[in-house]
Amino acid sequence: MKILNWFLVIMGIVGLVAVRIMEDKIFYDPFLDYFHVANKDIPFPAFSWGPLIIGHLFRFILNLFFSCLIIHCLFRNKQWTIQGGLLIIIVFAITFPIYLYCIHDKFEVGYLFSFYMRRFVIQPLILLLIVPMFYYRKQVLVNKS
């Protein structure tokens, strides 16, 4: 059973990496090149709101699925998996509208601010906080027993 859990954790990580590697092939995101170019004086890319929002939501759902798989297989606690998923959803619900505003404003609020809002929208960064937090919680519960 332990081997299966570790296999699923690895598959979750591979899934997150695959989402990142395949991002230019499976998601509509005209801002990929905009943020990868060293020259920040390139023109603001043309885009369509509908496909952009749908692409980000699809990417979020994939990242959420793989993140919850990792959390569940690491800690084998359904309640913690739900809490982790809700935390990820809350962070997305806060950052996504801010990022959409940054796009609407053509990143006039600041290039770096827009860049980091985008990171929270398209990358599962919150997972890097949730796993240590739940590990600490687990250690506290073990020490109390």
Side-chain angles (χ1 to χ4, degrees):
M1 191 67 164
K2 221 175 194 180
I3 293 173
L4 177 62
N5 279 328
W6 281 110
F7 175 75
L8 290 174
V9 167
I10 292 168
M11 292 309 298
I13 293 169
V14 167
L16 291 175
V17 170
V19 167
R20 173 79 164 129
I21 290 172
M22 302 294 292
E23 68 186 354
D24 58 338
K25 293 171 184 64
I26 59 176
F27 306 113
Y28 171 77
D29 190 354
F31 299 102
L32 282 172
D33 291 332
Y34 183 82
F35 283 109
H36 281 116
V37 176
N39 178 9
K40 303 306 176 213
D41 295 327
I42 64 172
F44 190 79
F47 69 95
S48 297
W49 280 106
L52 182 75
I53 291 170
I54 291 169
H56 283 316
L57 289 173
F58 178 53
R59 184 173 185 156
F60 168 72
I61 290 167
L62 288 175
N63 284 337
L64 178 66
F65 172 76
F66 290 124
S67 296
C68 287
L69 178 67
I70 292 167
I71 293 167
H72 187 73
C73 292
L74 279 176
F75 301 105
R76 293 180 300 238
N77 186 317
K78 184 178 177 183
Q79 184 179 3
W80 290 9
T81 303
I82 293 168
Q83 288 173 357
L86 284 175
L87 213 60
I88 293 168
I89 290 169
I90 289 168
V91 169
F92 182 79
I94 293 168
T95 58
F96 191 47
I98 295 170
Y99 177 61
L100 293 178
Y101 175 76
C102 291
I103 293 171
H104 173 73
D105 197 39
K106 297 186 178 181
F107 305 130
E108 292 293 323
V109 295
Y111 177 83
L112 282 179
F113 178 78
S114 302
F115 174 81
Y116 287 113
M117 280 298 106
R118 182 175 186 277
R119 283 285 161 231
F120 274 102
V121 168
I122 68 170
Q123 302 296 337
L125 296 176
I126 194 72
L127 184 64
L128 297 174
L129 299 172
I130 291 173
V131 170
M133 179 179 69
F134 285 172
Y135 179 77
Y136 176 75
R137 182 194 238 180
K138 183 178 178 179
Q139 293 307 311
V140 167
L141 290 174
V142 167
N143 290 338
K144 279 187 177 182
S145 299

